[in-house]
Amino acid sequence: MKKTIVLYPGLFASHFVPMMQLADVLLDEGYAVAVALIDLTLDHDAALSSAVDRVAAAKPSLAIHRLPRIHDPPTVADAGGEPLLRYFDTVKRYNERLREFLRSLPPKTVHAVVADAPSVAALDVAREIGVPAYTFYAANASAAAVFFQLHFFGDGDGQPRRSFKELGDAPVEFRGVPPMPASYLMREMLLDPDTEVYKAMMEAMRRNAEEPDGVLVNTFASLEPRAVAALRDPQLLPPPAGAAGEGRPPPPVYCVGPLVAGTAAEAVEDNKHECLAWLDRQPDRSVVFLCFGSIGAVTHSAEQIREIATGLRSSGHRFLWVVRSPLPGGEGERLFDPRADADLDALLPAGFLESTEGRGLVVKHWAPQVEVLRHRATGAFVTHCGWNSALEGITAGVPMLCWPMYAEQKMNKVVMVEEVGVGVEMAGWEQGMVTAEEVEAKVRLVMETEEGDKLRARVAAHRDAAVTACKAGGSSRAEFAQFLADAASLRRE
């Protein structure tokens, strides 16, 4: 009977998708993979539901198990209006369902449990059953390095925890990453040390830094060498409270990426998307692709959409732009229907579609991002800096124009621009408005200048390194094998 790796994804499409790429590697290595899913009706998240349906259709060898719904699941109102608190509570309350599922599997076949990092409470179940327990970071090594150290930020000086609201844009330093403003560190959840969401976030970060048997990260070693070195520093974490010593190591870290969806593996539709047929008619590396993820695209105000349109028209360059209707008042939410129709005539400047006909294409809702980025016609990528999108751009060899919006994307921007050198920053995002002039200037910089050529060459070098890392004998494949071997040595028979 095959050894089984149990994957426990979180309730975010952006975390689910790379974990399913991890499943592909496990299947290739000859393991059985069981995916335990929390009831998706909790969030009515169309993006996540669609991702699950695509994976279920495309990967018949993957065993997907939907855990039975718990009685009276918590709501956001129960959590004082904090979605993250509701998330942590939900995971804890699903521990009993996860325990039942793990115990239903044939004895001694479960090789390890890999839980999404925010679902760190699942480690309790694996420990109880005696199964090696790992967490998975869909983010990069730099974010992991910050999160490992963030719980201890401000400790050791005899002072109370510092408020990130008070720090504002003051630079903070963590080992392994460039200095960055405090406001970049998921500030919306870390404003006040006295709030429950702050305490819950810090506790989740502490547990991820101390408790797993190991941590899998969606990156490759040569992309972020400084962050990887910090994560493997035996003195990265401070000594336990009241103990002497210079420091202690975090759990073993395995760089197993880039875990990026393929062009055909996730597709279940037979029809080619209209935008790919349009790209077929464009010259090589001539098109600027704009796509802001499943959430970011709806956080743009109508005014911002008009500024983007004006800048694209003035740049004179070809473009492919995914547009969704903004939420009322421009306020973003995690949950929305990606199929909601966008009224392009109302959103875009008068005459925009007519004046850019032939050199521009505006797509509603969604485009097959991986396929677009790998298309020969795509020459630049305007992105919200979600790590999945960043890796898709890197593995396609496409330079990026960085426009972060929420969560760890601001940290990702620093890594992409200052550390890895695969993108340029779109100025104005911090003030909530990127002007038409900035859009035009940065598009021209990447598409027309020597600086853009150098940027493209750096991305191409990282693309080639990613290919090497994933081949037999490459760094990511070797670290993946090490993870499996280490898990085998930890089995509690």
Side-chain angles (χ1 to χ4, degrees), residues 349-361:
F352 173 77
L353 294 174
E354 294 78 7
S355 64
T356 58
E357 185 176 3
R359 72 172 177 90
L361 179 65

Side-chain angles (χ1 to χ4, degrees), residues 252-473:
V253 172
Y254 309 91
C255 298
V256 296
L259 298 168
V260 175
T263 55
E266 307 305 319
V268 295
E269 299 85 5
D270 293 329
N271 297 326
K272 187 174 183 178
H273 194 281
E274 61 168 323
C275 71
L276 298 175
W278 182 83
L279 283 171
D280 288 343
R281 300 191 294 271
Q282 311 307 315
D284 289 358
R285 297 194 307 188
S286 65
V287 175
V288 178
F289 176 48
L290 301 91
C291 188
F292 298 95
S294 57
I295 307 169
V298 298
T299 63
H300 284 156
S301 65
E303 181 184 3
Q304 180 63 86
I305 290 173
R306 288 190 292 271
E307 288 291 314
I308 295 171
T310 302
L312 289 174
R313 180 164 53 190
S314 299
S315 76
H317 284 279
R318 292 174 171 83
F319 62 88
L320 169 60
W321 182 14
V322 181
V323 174
R324 294 194 181 104
S325 293
L327 292 169
E331 294 297 325
E333 296 179 359
R334 194 174 77 80
L335 306 179
F336 72 101
D337 185 351
R339 298 160 294 187
D341 201 16
D343 185 348
L344 298 182
D345 290 332
L347 287 172
L348 300 172
F352 173 77
L353 294 174
E354 294 78 7
S355 64
T356 58
E357 185 176 3
R359 72 172 177 90
L361 179 65
V362 179
V363 177
K364 299 178 183 180
H365 317 313
W366 177 86
Q369 181 164 291
V370 173
E371 293 177 90
V372 169
L373 289 170
R374 294 181 182 178
H375 197 284
R376 58 162 185 80
T378 303
F381 179 25
V382 182
T383 175
H384 64 309
C385 302
W387 190 239
N388 290 335
S389 292
L391 285 180
E392 288 165 6
I394 290 168
T395 55
V398 177
M400 285 167 273
L401 292 83
C402 299
W403 187 333
M405 296 181 183
Y406 56 91
E408 75 276 9
Q409 293 166 9
K410 300 171 186 178
M411 292 190 287
N412 292 347
K413 185 271 299 182
V414 174
V415 174
M416 294 163 68
V417 174
E418 299 180 24
E419 191 80 348
V420 184
V422 295
V424 295
E425 180 177 6
M426 298 284 279
W429 64 267
E430 290 185 271
Q431 292 74 40
M433 181 61 62
V434 175
T435 65
E437 291 77 14
E438 174 68 3
V439 172
E440 177 185 358
K442 288 299 165 61
V443 166
R444 289 184 178 276
L445 182 150
V446 174
M447 299 295 285
E448 299 176 5
T449 70
E450 183 179 350
E451 184 177 347
D453 291 339
K454 292 178 179 177
L455 184 67
R456 187 169 285 104
R458 285 195 296 272
V459 182
H462 288 301
R463 174 200 60 201
D464 295 344
V467 171
T468 300
C470 293
K471 286 182 177 178

Side-chain angles (χ1 to χ4, degrees), residues 37-44 65-75 86 90 93-94 96-98 100:
L37 279 180
I38 288 177
D39 183 12
L40 299 182
T41 61
L42 286 168
D43 281 332
H44 308 289
H65 301 267
R66 299 173 191 265
L67 300 178
R69 184 180 175 89
I70 60 175
H71 176 69
D72 193 23
T75 66
R86 193 281 302 264
T90 298
R93 292 172 62 176
Y94 262 88
E96 180 59 34
R97 297 289 188 262
L98 179 62
E100 293 167 355

